[in-house]
């Protein structure tokens, strides 16, 4: 419940744009859950935030984004921290 409340605070400024697409919350390994959701719902775009991690690939995308890049049946937009 606390996660949903925090998510609501983050998306509040974008509510009008999100209403057209929707927000979906799933629990589990994000690499598996996001990929399965994209397939099941014929998603055309996944937007994912990332943090820099160690290693060359980790510096570019982050572990979850890197794994998803090879698994998703759709486009992925990766947002890096400033």
């Amino acid at each position: 419940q606390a996660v949903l409340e925090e998510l609501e605070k983050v998306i509040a400024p974008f509510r009008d744009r999100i209403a057209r697409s929707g927000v979906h919350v799933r629990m589990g390994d994000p690499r598996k859950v996001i990929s399965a959701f994209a397939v099941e719902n014929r998603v055309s775009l996944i937007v994912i935030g990332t943090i820099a991690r160690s290693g060359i690939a980790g510096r570019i995308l982050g572990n979850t984004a890197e794994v998803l890049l090879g698994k998703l049946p759709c486009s992925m937009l990766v947002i890096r921290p400033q």
Side-chain angles (χ1 to χ4, degrees):
Q1 185 64 27
V3 171
L4 293 176
E5 290 172 5
E6 189 63 29
L7 177 61
E8 184 58 40
K9 290 177 190 174
V10 170
I11 66 173
F14 310 100
R15 176 60 66 196
D16 60 328
R17 290 182 233 156
I18 293 172
R20 293 181 295 235
S21 302
V23 173
H24 304 274
V25 178
R26 302 290 186 269
M27 301 300 288
D29 180 341
R31 295 166 293 192
K32 293 177 183 176
V33 174
I34 294 170
S35 182
F37 182 86
V39 170
E40 292 165 9
N41 294 278
R42 298 181 178 174
V43 171
S44 59
L45 175 67
I46 296 285
V47 179
I48 185 169
T50 186
I51 57 173
R53 301 246 176 183
S54 61
I56 294 171
R59 288 184 192 144
I60 297 170
L61 292 176
N63 188 44
T64 299
E66 179 187 3
V67 171
L68 285 174
L69 190 60
K71 289 186 170 188
L72 289 176
C74 63
S75 297
M76 179 175 70
L77 174 61
V78 179
I79 308 296
R80 294 185 324 166
Q82 296 181 356

